[in-house]
Every structure is written in structure tokens, then in C-alpha cells.
Amino acid sequence: MQGAITISITINILIIDDEPIVRKGISYLLSHTELEDVKIDILEADSGLIANQLFEEQEFDIVFTDINMPVMDGLTLIEKWSKKMTRTQWVILSGYDEFSYAQKAITLGVKEYLLKPVTKKMAQETLVRLIDKYRKPSEHFLNMNELENLIDTLEGAIWTLNEDIVKISLSSWGEILVSKEMEVSYFYNTLNNILSNLIKRVNKRGNIVLDEHAGNINGTNIAALIDSFQQNCIELIERIRRQRKGQVLDPIEFAKKYISENLSEKITLDDVADKLGLNSAYFSHLFKKETGTSFVEYRMHLRMEQALKLMDSSNMKITEIANSLGYEDLSHFTKTFKKYTGLSPSKYISSLEMN
């Protein structure tokens, strides 16, 4: 059975400084920061002009920039790009004699200020603070718990070849997201990350091998990206279907058969979900939706019907019948039987003998 889903996030960082030793040093410190479920991609620029060119091509989650650089300084960069890259968090690097520049940076929305020389503690504590801000839900970002629940649902739906669940889940999610003021590039990166996680999780189930580099999400707005992501999920279903060569596993039929064949065993919903390779919560929801009853109620129904058959057609004692159906506690069996039939086992057998 799968454990809790953990979503890895990728943080894109740019370090701008014309001094190689400073630039390389900060890069080293940041790349060696221990962060759970965070991948860090770091680029470096040795001038404001190079950074300006990079900003034309991509957006960064965090930018560390020196203030005092020739031709185009850090403040000019921030002033030009902070309104365009609204989700970027800026960190200025400054010497002792540049505090007046730092004050101006604060008016531009800069929240972090590092005094050179930058120590390991300074760099890593700053990075942790910035990533914590990145993780916090807001109208500009996605809630990580909601993402985990979505992946949970999508994984189960893809594995069981249920396109309807994929479409319904993404439709509901999409209605919420279109109202959020998110950067398209941020949402694009998130969807690619989700798709990668889905492929890895399906591959871990065994018997299915999906190309981890497969998938092509594209779109110019949130709605278009969701549609593209949905098509990628459906394509995963098609690839799984082709690999199974038509031998599609119906999880509910399998569950019914497994319960029926193991009435004498202490099987639980978790056991059956594990056999199917499904998350327990998702399997529970799916089972009730398809059968109209819960897993426990369905198993109890089968056990009571089997008990009635044994009482009708055999000379087994009540204790033997209870044991054969997985009830080690006779009183529990008696209470369940009476609730199901309205009669205790002994009275039911007596009614049979009278007839």
C-alpha cells in the first residue's frame, strides 16, 4: 500500500555578482542546504546585463543580486523586473558601505538583505525562510496539501484506467484555480512536477514501465494548461492499457471476489487496497461509489448470507459456523447475526427445525 504522497518542489535560483569567489561561494552554500522534498536549480550571472538577458527568457523563484555592479546594478534590475516577476523573491548582497542602497531596495519590495561576506549560516537560514514563504498557501500559489490529495486521486484513477475520475477531479480543481492570480510559468512547472510524480508512482507498482521523460504539457493560460495536463493523464491510461494488452483489472470485481474467497480470514480494507495497489482512502471511496455500501458492510453481508446457508444445509454448530466465517468472538457473531436477521443464531436454527 502506498504511503502518504510527498510532492517535491523545484526552486529556481539565480545568483548575480561580478566577483566569482562570492558567486561560487554562495552557490555552494545554497546547494548544500539540507531541505526536505526540495530540489534546487542554481544559475549564475557575472553581471547585471547577463541577468537581464536571463530574465527575458525565464523567471526565477529566488534571486540573489549584488547591489554594486558595472553598467547595470542590482537596484536597476530589481526596479525593472520586480513588477513583471511578481512571485520572485529578491535578496540583495551588500558591503558595509552600501546601506543607503539597501534602504532603497526595501522600498522596491526586497525582503532579505545579506551583508558580505556571506556566511554559511546567513545563506542557509535565508534560503529556508524564503522557501517557507514559497510553501505557504496564498492566492498566488497552490496549497501543498491539496496537491497531495489531487495526486492521490489521480494515481488511483490512472492505475484503474478510470478516465472519468481524472476528468471530474481536474474539472473541479480547475474551477478553483482559474480565480487564482498565479503566474503561468509557476503553474506550468508545478504540473510538470505532478506528472513526473505520477509516472514514478505508477512505475513503482510493478509490471508497468512508463517513460519518465514522456509527456508534453503546453498552454498559454491556466485553463489551457489544465486541459493539456488532463490529456497527458489520459495518455498514461492508454499506455497502461496497451501494456496490459486488454487484461484490464476491475478493482471492484477483484475486491468482491477476494472478499468472497477469504470470508474466514481477518481481511481489512487496507489488505484489499494493498492487493490492488491503491491508496486506502481512494479505494474506500471507489468501493462505496460502485457498490452503494461500505467495505465493512459488504463483507458483513456476505458473511451473514453464508452463515444462513450453512445453517440451512449443514449440521455445523454455531461456534463452528462463526469460526468458519472469521469470527473468533462468538458474542460478536451472535450480535451481528441478530442485527442482520432479527433473530439470534439459536432461535433461527430452532425456527428451521420447527418448519
Side-chain angles (χ1 to χ4, degrees):
M1 182 171 54
Q2 298 288 341
I5 294 177
T6 303
I7 299 176
S8 173
I9 61 173
T10 300
I11 300 294
N12 297 308
I13 297 176
L14 178 63
I15 301 171
I16 313 165
D17 200 296
D18 57 347
E19 297 181 54
I21 191 169
V22 173
R23 198 171 62 247
K24 297 293 182 184
I26 294 174
S27 177
Y28 177 84
L29 294 175
L30 296 179
S31 63
H32 286 76
T33 304
E34 293 185 6
L35 296 164
E36 184 178 355
D37 307 319
V38 177
K39 177 185 176 185
I40 298 177
D41 286 341
I42 299 176
L43 284 181
E44 299 176 19
D46 60 6
S47 70
L49 286 177
I50 296 298
N52 190 59
Q53 292 174 8
L54 289 173
F55 291 153
E56 296 283 0
E57 300 169 2
Q58 71 177 99
E59 189 170 349
F60 294 87
D61 300 303
I62 300 172
V63 175
F64 290 79
T65 181
D66 186 20
I67 285 184
N68 190 10
M69 295 181 292
V71 185
M72 181 174 282
D73 61 57
L75 291 180
T76 302
L77 272 177
I78 296 171
E79 192 165 11
K80 177 179 179 181
W81 288 98
S82 60
K83 292 183 180 180
K84 297 179 182 179
M85 301 195 303
T86 56
R87 70 185 182 88
T88 300
Q89 298 188 77
W90 301 85
V91 182
I92 56 172
L93 308 170
S94 171
Y96 282 106
D97 58 347
E98 297 169 333
F99 185 69
S100 60
Y101 294 107
Q103 288 179 308
K104 182 179 178 182
I106 292 172
T107 67
L108 296 175
V110 175
K111 303 297 184 184
E112 297 285 345
Y113 171 90
L114 289 181
L115 192 64
K116 295 180 182 180
V118 178
T119 66
K120 176 181 178 180
K121 183 178 180 181
M122 290 164 54
Q124 295 185 347
E125 286 183 351
T126 298
L127 181 60
V128 169
R129 277 198 305 274
L130 293 174
I131 291 177
D132 282 344
K133 292 177 184 177
Y134 182 90
R135 288 181 183 276
K136 287 181 180 177
S138 74
E139 63 177 1
H140 303 297
F141 299 98
L142 296 172
N143 184 300
M144 297 303 288
N145 290 330
E146 290 177 0
L147 284 181
E148 289 178 357
N149 292 334
L150 178 69
I151 292 185
D152 208 353
T153 300
L154 291 178
E155 182 196 356
I158 290 169
W159 183 251
T160 56
L161 312 183
N162 196 326
E163 293 184 18
D164 288 340
I165 294 294
V166 169
K167 292 176 181 178
I168 291 170
S169 299
L170 292 178
S171 176
S172 300
W173 191 52
E175 289 178 2
I176 298 172
L177 295 185
V178 290
S179 64
K180 286 181 175 283
E181 299 178 4
M182 286 184 296
E183 293 288 337
V184 172
S185 59
Y186 161 74
F187 191 60
Y188 169 81
N189 290 334
T190 300
L191 288 182
N192 273 291
N193 193 278
I194 293 174
L195 185 63
S196 175
N197 272 272
L198 284 171
I199 292 173
K200 289 176 181 177
R201 292 203 57 150
V202 169
N203 285 341
K204 285 181 180 179
R205 292 176 180 271
N207 302 322
I208 297 294
V209 179
L210 300 175
D211 182 0
E212 294 194 5
H213 301 290
N216 180 29
I217 299 173
N218 53 67
T220 57
N221 55 53
I222 301 298
L225 287 170
I226 292 175
D227 287 341
S228 178
F229 177 73
Q230 177 175 293
Q231 289 303 313
N232 276 268
C233 289
I234 292 173
E235 176 58 28
L236 292 182
I237 289 176
E238 290 302 320
R239 291 176 195 170
I240 294 172
R241 184 177 281 122
R242 288 194 294 269
Q243 289 194 38
R244 289 177 180 167
K245 297 179 181 179
Q247 298 177 359
V248 179
L249 176 66
D250 185 320
I252 303 305
E253 291 305 314
F254 172 87
K256 288 179 177 179
K257 183 179 179 183
Y258 188 77
I259 295 168
S260 178
E261 292 176 349
N262 293 275
L263 286 178
S264 63
E265 303 297 327
K266 291 183 177 180
I267 58 170
T268 65
L269 181 144
D270 286 349
D271 294 331
V272 181
D274 192 34
K275 290 287 183 182
L276 288 164
L278 295 177
N279 171 271
S280 296
Y282 174 78
F283 171 64
S284 177
H285 170 77
L286 184 65
F287 189 89
K288 188 161 188 177
K289 181 185 176 207
E290 296 293 327
T291 65
T293 186
S294 70
F295 174 88
V296 173
E297 290 170 340
Y298 182 84
R299 183 187 58 186
M300 182 273 291
H301 172 79
L302 290 188
R303 283 177 166 174
M304 292 301 101
E305 287 299 314
Q306 181 64 17
L308 291 172
K309 288 179 183 178
L310 292 173
M311 290 177 186
D312 289 343
S313 61
S314 75
N315 295 319
M316 292 174 65
K317 295 179 180 179
I318 295 174
T319 302
E320 292 173 336
I321 293 173
N323 289 338
S324 72
L325 296 173
Y327 290 95
E328 295 180 356
D329 185 349
L330 182 59
S331 64
H332 182 205
F333 171 76
T334 301
K335 288 178 183 177
T336 304
F337 187 89
K338 186 173 183 179
K339 184 177 180 180
Y340 187 75
T341 65
L343 297 172
S344 67
S346 57
K347 286 186 177 181
Y348 180 81
I349 292 175
S350 296
S351 69
L352 291 176
E353 292 174 347
M354 290 175 64
N355 294 329

